Amino acid sequence: MPNATIRDVAREAQVSVASVSRALNGHERVRPELRARVQEAAARLGYVPHAGARSLSLARTSAIGVVLPDLHGEFFSELLRGMDREVAAQKLALLLTVLQDGRGLNTLAALRGQVDGLVVMAPQLGAAELRAQLPAGLPAVFLNCAPGLAGAALRVDNAAGAAAMVEHLVAAGARAIAHVAGPVGNVDAEERRAGAVAAAARAGVALTVIQGDFNEASGAAAAVQVARGEIQADALFAANDAMAIGALVALKGHGVAVPAQVRVAGFDDIPLARLVTPALTTMRVDIAALGARAVQLLARRIVAPAEGLVEVGPADAEAIVPRLVVRDTTTETDRERQS
Amino acid sequence: MPNATIRDVAREAQVSVASVSRALNGHERVRPELRARVQEAAARLGYVPHAGARSLSLARTSAIGVVLPDLHGEFFSELLRGMDREVAAQKLALLLTVLQDGRGLNTLAALRGQVDGLVVMAPQLGAAELRAQLPAGLPAVFLNCAPGLAGAALRVDNAAGAAAMVEHLVAAGARAIAHVAGPVGNVDAEERRAGAVAAAARAGVALTVIQGDFNEASGAAAAVQVARGEIQADALFAANDAMAIGALVALKGHGVAVPAQVRVAGFDDIPLARLVTPALTTMRVDIAALGARAVQLLARRIVAPAEGLVEVGPADAEAIVPRLVVRDTTTETDRERQS
DNA sequence: GTCGTTGATGTAACCGTTTACACGTAACAA
DNA sequence: TTGTTACGTGTAAACGGTTACATCAACGAC
C-alpha cells in the first residue's frame, strides 16, 4: 500500500470523502470536532493529497513551465534562482524544459495539463514558429522573444545598455571602438550591436564590428586583430563578458596595456568579471530580478481570468535596463597595479 | 473552448473514446482506416492529451522531481544541464524544487502524484530528517547525502581525487607536501584531506595539513607559512581552487617561483583556474555527468517495479571520480612564460 | 445452418480529487 | 405545532484520460 487516498482517510475518520476534503482544505462549514478527527486520521495514515488528481479536478496544476534554450553558467542559474524565489512565494512549482535544437518541437504542446502557464525564452525562434508550438489558451510570458506574441513580453534593453557602454567608453577617452558582436541570428547580440552602432554614430566616433560567437576564443581572436593593428581601435567592446575576458587575456599576451592603450568592456557582469586582472568594466543585468518578474507577471495572468479582470492582450511589455559597472579595464586608476 | 478533449475527438471522428485512445497511442488492434480518421480529427481540433488526466489514469507522471539546496553558479547550472540531457533522452520532465532554509519542509511531500521519482541533494539534512519528509514509496536517488537512505546513492569520490593529485605531485618531483584543508565539518573537505593523507603515506612523502576555510585568504596565509620556511614543503595542495589561487598570488608576492620551487594544485576546476598565471593544475569533477547519472539511476528504479526485476535496496551506491587536469602550476614547460 | 473463433470497436468502470446539490437536524419565529 | 432558516454532512457527478470486458460482425469448418 504505497499511499493512502482520501477514501482511506474517510473510512479511518468515519466520515465522508467530501468532509475530509473540506476539513483538510480549510473550508468554513466544518465542525471543529470533525476537522480535528479528520486531521488526526490523515496524520495517522500519512495521507498526502495526490497532486495529479487534485489538479485534474481543479483544472489548476500549481505549476508553471519554464522553457529555456541551452544555456550555460551563471545566467542560467541566476534566472532560475530568481524564478524560484517568486515561485516559492506564490506556492507554485517549476517545470523545467530545455529547448535543444533537435527535440523539443512537440515538447511544448505536451505541457498541456501539466502547467498553468509558461515562461518562454526562445531567442532563436520566430513568432510564428513559436505560436504554432504553444498549447492554445495557456497564459505565457516571453523573455527576449520575437515581438507580437500573445502574452506578456519581458526583455532586457540591450540596445540601451550597449549605448550606455559606448558613451562611457567615449567619456573615458575612446575614439575608435571595435565591437565584438555575438552570433548572427541571436536577438541579444543583434540588439547590442545595433545599440552600439547607433550610439557611436551619435557620439561621432568610429566603430568597427567584428563577428564573434559569445565564446572566449572569438574574443581573443578579435583582440589579436586589434593588437596587430589590423583593426584600428583604442577600445574593445565585446557583446558579452566571456568574449571580453578572452580578449583581455589575448591583449595581455600581446603586450598591449589595458586600459592605457586599449580599453576593454563586456556585457552581463558574470562573477568572473570582477576577478580578472584588471577587473572588467561591464553592463550588469539583474538576471534574478528578470526571472522573478517573469513569474510574477505570469502568476497575475493565471489568476486574472478567475477574477474577471482579464485585460490580457500583449498590453504589458516591460524592459529591464542594464546598469553600467565601471571597473579597471576602462579607467586608469591607482588601483591599476594592484591585485 | 480552450482545448479539445478526447471525447471531442471521438465525436469528430465518429468513433468511441476508447478507439481514439488506442489509435493515438499506437495500439496494435486498430484498423488503419480508423486510425487515420482519428489522427485527422485530432489534428483538425488541435487535440493534445491532458497530461494530468493521463497521469492519473496511468499512475505515472513522466516527471521527476529535483530537490536542490540554494546553489549558485556553475555547479547548479551544470548539474541541471546534465540532468536535462538524460531526462530528455528518457522523455521525462523535470520539476525543480529549491530547498530554502525556512520553507520547503512540507514541500517535499507535496510532490506526491506530481512526479515518479526524486533526485535529492540535501547535504545539510540528516538521514532521519530527510526520510521523514520524503513521500513514502517514491523511488529516489541521493546526491552527496547522508548515508543509509532507502534509494540509490551517488557521490563524488573526493578521496580518490585527492589521492590522484598527491600522486601527480609526487610524480612531478614533490617530496614534501603541504595540504591546505577545507573547513572542519564539511564532508567534501574531510574526504579530500583523508585521501591526500593516505596517498602521501603510500607514496612515502611527507604531508603537513594546514587548516583552511575554502576562502582565498586562508590559502594565502598557508602559502606565507611555506614561503617563510615555517613549513617545509615543495608542493602546496589546496582542497579547493579558491585557496589555491590565494596561495598562488601570495607565493608570487613572496618571490617564490611556481612551479620551480613550489608546485601548486587545487580542486574543482573553477573557470578562473585556467585563467590565472600560471594556469592552475586541479581536479575536475564532471558535474553534468553526475546529474545525468542520477537521472539514469532514477529512471531505472522507476521502470524496475513494472518489469518485475525490482532488486532495489540501497544496493547501488556509486561514486564519480574527478579527473586530473594538469596545467602550469605543477609542470615546468615552455608554455610557462606565456598567457 | 449452426457454431466457434477471431479481430475490431464500443461501453463503462476506474484513477483520486473537488464540489454542486440533496438531505437531515436543530433552532427559532409564528 | 408547523414553517422557515441555517448549518453540517453525505451522495454522486464531474475532471480527461486508459483499459478490462462485452459486443458484434465476418469467416471458415462442420
Side-chain angles (χ1 to χ4, degrees):
Chain A
M1 71 253 91
N3 264 310
T5 77
I6 196 174
R7 272 170 251 276
D8 298 328
V9 178
R11 197 177 321 115
E12 177 82 6
Q14 316 250 39
V15 295
S16 74
V17 291
S19 293
V20 175
S21 177
R22 282 188 285 249
L24 296 179
N25 291 329
H27 262 246
E28 297 275 296
R29 301 284 136 86
V30 183
R31 205 154 35 95
E33 188 273 334
L34 185 144
R35 185 189 304 274
R37 206 166 75 219
V38 168
Q39 280 167 342
E40 203 177 303
R44 197 158 43 231
L45 296 176
Y47 168 73
V48 181
H50 188 283
R54 169 177 249 165
S55 77
L56 181 57
S57 187
L58 289 175
R60 193 163 191 300
T61 62
S62 294
I64 70 174
V66 181
V67 180
L68 297 178
D70 191 12
L71 292 170
H72 287 264
E74 202 64 23
F75 186 92
F76 184 86
S77 64
E78 277 304 298
L79 189 65
L80 281 176
R81 169 204 278 323
M83 287 188 174
D84 176 79
R85 196 203 312 155
E86 194 61 29
V87 144
Q90 311 257 3
K91 303 223 169 300
L92 296 170
L94 263 193
L95 197 67
L96 182 63
T97 306
V98 175
L99 263 192
Q100 293 286 25
D101 277 344
R103 52 176 160 109
L105 290 150
N106 56 341
T107 310
L108 281 200
L111 291 172
R112 166 168 118 92
Q114 216 164 12
V115 299
D116 293 334
L118 248 33
V119 174
V120 180
M121 175 154 146
Q124 76 287 13
L125 257 52
E129 212 173 348
L130 195 49
R131 186 159 24 217
Q133 292 186 30
L134 285 176
L138 255 196
V141 172
F142 299 96
L143 295 184
N144 277 14
C145 277
L149 287 154
L154 202 53
R155 27 183 295 283
V156 173
D157 197 338
N158 287 296
M165 181 59 85
V166 166
E167 284 155 22
H168 165 69
L169 288 171
V170 171
R175 288 298 167 262
I177 300 177
H179 176 65
V180 192
V184 290
N186 181 297
V187 180
D188 290 320
E190 302 287 1
E191 291 178 357
R192 288 172 193 181
R193 185 178 45 66
V197 168
R202 274 198 303 276
V205 303
L207 186 140
T208 315
V209 174
I210 308 176
Q211 190 59 49
D213 62 3
F214 273 166
N215 292 315
E216 270 180 49
S218 66
V224 169
Q225 293 187 58
V226 171
R228 289 202 186 130
E230 294 166 15
I231 290 177
Q232 284 291 340
D234 55 7
L236 190 151
F237 171 25
N240 77 349
D241 285 352
M243 294 193 296
I245 289 170
L248 204 56
V249 173
L251 287 174
K252 232 195 288 188
H254 281 70
V256 177
V258 175
Q261 294 176 263
V262 174
R263 295 146 192 87
V264 175
F267 209 115
D268 291 344
D269 195 21
I270 63 176
L272 194 50
R274 39 175 274 278
L275 296 173
V276 291
T277 314
L280 183 68
T281 289
T282 184
M283 298 299 303
R284 161 180 266 290
V285 183
D286 191 342
I287 305 296
L290 180 69
R293 183 69 182 140
V295 170
Q296 214 168 60
L297 248 36
L298 183 58
R300 185 178 306 163
R301 279 174 170 259
I302 290 173
V303 298
E307 314 287 86
L309 39 84
V310 192
E311 63 102 12
V312 272
D316 38 11
E318 291 184 17
I320 303 256
V321 180
R323 192 164 53 78
L324 177 64
V325 178
V326 179
R327 296 212 182 88
D328 306 335
T329 53
T330 55
T331 54
E332 193 107 31
T333 70
D334 48 314
R335 290 155 58 214
E336 177 73 359
R337 283 280 117 210
Q338 148 205 340
S339 173
Chain B
M1 69 250 99
N3 263 312
T5 77
I6 196 173
R7 275 170 246 274
D8 298 329
V9 178
R11 196 176 325 114
E12 177 82 7
Q14 316 251 38
V15 294
S16 73
V17 291
S19 293
V20 174
S21 179
R22 283 188 284 249
L24 296 180
N25 291 330
H27 262 249
E28 297 276 295
R29 298 284 136 86
V30 183
R31 204 154 37 95
E33 187 274 333
L34 185 146
R35 185 189 304 275
R37 207 165 75 216
V38 168
Q39 279 167 342
E40 203 176 304
R44 197 157 43 228
L45 296 176
Y47 168 72
V48 182
H50 189 285
R54 169 178 250 163
S55 77
L56 179 58
S57 186
L58 291 175
R60 190 160 196 300
T61 64
S62 295
I64 71 173
V66 182
V67 179
L68 297 177
D70 192 12
L71 291 170
H72 286 264
E74 202 69 21
F75 187 91
F76 184 84
S77 63
E78 277 303 298
L79 189 65
L80 281 177
R81 168 205 280 322
M83 288 188 173
D84 176 79
R85 198 204 311 157
E86 193 61 30
V87 144
Q90 311 258 4
K91 303 223 169 301
L92 297 171
L94 263 194
L95 197 68
L96 182 63
T97 306
V98 175
L99 263 192
Q100 293 286 26
D101 277 344
R103 54 178 158 106
L105 290 149
N106 56 343
T107 311
L108 281 199
L111 292 172
R112 164 167 119 92
Q114 215 163 13
V115 299
D116 292 334
L118 247 33
V119 174
V120 180
M121 175 153 150
Q124 77 286 10
L125 258 52
E129 210 172 349
L130 196 49
R131 188 159 23 218
Q133 292 187 28
L134 286 176
L138 254 196
V141 172
F142 299 95
L143 295 184
N144 277 13
C145 277
L149 286 153
L154 203 52
R155 27 180 296 282
V156 173
D157 196 339
N158 287 296
M165 181 58 86
V166 166
E167 283 155 23
H168 164 67
L169 289 171
V170 171
R175 288 299 167 262
I177 300 176
H179 176 65
V180 191
V184 290
N186 181 296
V187 179
D188 290 321
E190 301 288 1
E191 292 178 358
R192 289 172 193 180
R193 186 180 42 67
V197 169
R202 274 198 304 276
V205 302
L207 186 141
T208 316
V209 173
I210 309 175
Q211 190 59 50
D213 63 2
F214 273 168
N215 292 316
E216 271 181 48
S218 66
V224 170
Q225 293 186 60
V226 171
R228 289 202 185 126
E230 294 166 16
I231 290 177
Q232 283 292 341
D234 54 7
L236 190 150
F237 172 26
N240 77 348
D241 285 351
M243 294 194 297
I245 289 170
L248 203 57
V249 173
L251 287 175
K252 232 194 286 189
H254 282 70
V256 177
V258 175
Q261 293 176 263
V262 174
R263 294 145 192 86
V264 174
F267 208 114
D268 289 344
D269 195 22
I270 63 175
L272 191 51
R274 37 179 273 278
L275 295 172
V276 291
T277 312
L280 183 68
T281 289
T282 185
M283 297 299 304
R284 162 179 265 292
V285 182
D286 191 343
I287 304 296
L290 181 69
R293 184 68 183 142
V295 171
Q296 214 168 61
L297 247 39
L298 183 58
R300 186 179 305 164
R301 280 175 168 257
I302 290 173
V303 297
E307 315 286 84
L309 38 86
V310 192
E311 63 102 12
V312 272
D316 39 11
E318 289 184 18
I320 300 263
V321 180
R323 192 164 52 78
L324 177 65
V325 178
V326 179
R327 296 211 183 89
D328 305 335
T329 52
T330 55
T331 54
E332 192 107 32
T333 70
D334 49 313
R335 291 154 57 216
E336 178 72 0
R337 284 279 119 210
Q338 146 203 341
S339 171

